[in-house]
Amino acid sequence: MRVLVVEDEEPVRELTGRILSENGYRVIGAADGYRARILCDQFQGEIDLLLSDVVMPGMSGRELAEHSGGHEVSAEDHDDVGRRSPQSGA
């Protein structure tokens, strides 16, 4: 599973990417919504999940999700968020 992590705070982005990578996800990182839009437009292949900070300079996470064709999913919609991994097959 390929995850695009968008976070303007570098330590948070790096930690999130490392945790996801260690659990079998392929991670693409972007420092802001503008760079993430470029990645979405130019990326060859499919990005399975957009994980974004909501408040960022220039473009919010919501605006980015709307551009990338995603839809909003909240933790309340999926009570198993964080319990599944690519290795579990779930």
Side-chain angles (χ1 to χ4, degrees):
M1 177 177 271
R2 193 168 286 123
V3 180
L4 174 56
V5 176
V6 187
E7 169 59 59
D8 57 322
E9 294 185 37
E10 186 175 4
V12 176
R13 185 177 63 250
E14 289 179 358
L15 176 62
T16 302
R18 187 176 58 216
I19 290 169
L20 289 168
S21 293
E22 289 171 357
N23 283 282
Y25 295 92
R26 291 186 275 167
V27 177
I28 304 163
D32 57 41
Y34 176 75
R35 288 183 183 101
R37 281 183 67 168
I38 292 171
L39 284 171
C40 286
D41 291 342
Q42 295 179 347
F43 189 74
Q44 299 294 321
E46 196 169 306
I47 296 173
D48 301 299
L49 177 66
L50 169 63
L51 180 61
S52 175
D53 189 351
V54 176
V55 179
M56 296 181 289
M59 179 187 305
S60 72
R62 179 181 294 264
E63 291 170 320
L64 175 60
E66 289 170 357
H67 168 76
S68 63
H71 61 280
E72 187 175 341
V73 178
S74 69
E76 293 82 30
D77 293 333
H78 294 280
D79 62 3
D80 63 343
V81 170
R83 289 189 230 156
R84 297 185 315 186
S85 71
Q87 291 105 353
S88 72

